[in-house]
Amino acid sequence: MKTEYQKCMDGEFFTADSEMSQIIYRCKRLVRSLNDTDMENTSERKRIMGELLGSIGDNVHIDIDFHCEYGINIHCGNDVIINMNCTFVDNNRIDIGNNVLIASDVKMYTATHTTDVTGRTNTPENKKTSGCFCRTYSKPITIEDNVS
């Protein structure tokens, strides 16, 4: 039987469980540390980014205020700039290639929910299959090399 995290990564309907909550709490602590670390303290910022992200290349800059959901699902190539006030809802993979510039206030959301209102109705069947009235699923995002 798949875990909720496996369902999430496979693009199936999922409900955040205690395992996923722990990933989120860890991420939020690291994001707070990253955003609170002086921009000139590049070695500490690099250390935090290495712990926060799934993988990180060389010469990656993440400006403040950065926000993400899991962190571990974000994979950055080399020579990447993520400008200020960006939010990545990384319930699934976000792959960022090499030589990528991401502008200020960019929001990337891998998670979504059904647009069919019957799938969002608070019925006993929906509660049984998803744990809540809103069934969530996620799809990966890929940003190719040399995108700005």
Side-chain angles (χ1 to χ4, degrees), residues 9 15 42 50 69 82 85 89 94 102 113 121-123 130 145:
M9 295 304 292
T15 302
T42 55
E69 189 76 6
I82 300 170
N85 300 320
V89 180
I94 297 177
I102 298 176
H113 56 78
T121 306
N122 197 7
T123 65
S130 70
D145 291 347

Side-chain angles (χ1 to χ4, degrees), residues 76-90:
C76 288
N78 298 315
D79 303 315
V80 172
I81 295 175
I82 300 170
N83 219 317
M84 66 180 86
N85 300 320
C86 289
T87 300
F88 296 178
V89 180
D90 63 312

Side-chain angles (χ1 to χ4, degrees), residues 23-48:
I23 294 169
I24 292 167
Y25 298 150
R26 175 189 173 277
C27 176
K28 300 302 181 190
R29 287 183 203 101
L30 288 167
V31 166
R32 182 178 55 228
S33 293
L34 181 65
N35 287 329
D36 288 346
T37 300
D38 188 288
M39 294 301 291
E40 290 183 314
N41 191 347
T42 55
S43 61
E44 180 63 7
R45 292 183 62 76
K46 184 176 181 174
R47 184 196 66 75
I48 296 167

Side-chain angles (χ1 to χ4, degrees), residues 103-120:
S104 299
D105 293 311
V106 168
K107 313 299 183 211
M108 294 187 210
Y109 300 90
T110 63
T112 190
H113 56 78
T114 180
T115 56
D116 175 10
V117 71
T118 60
R120 296 191 321 252

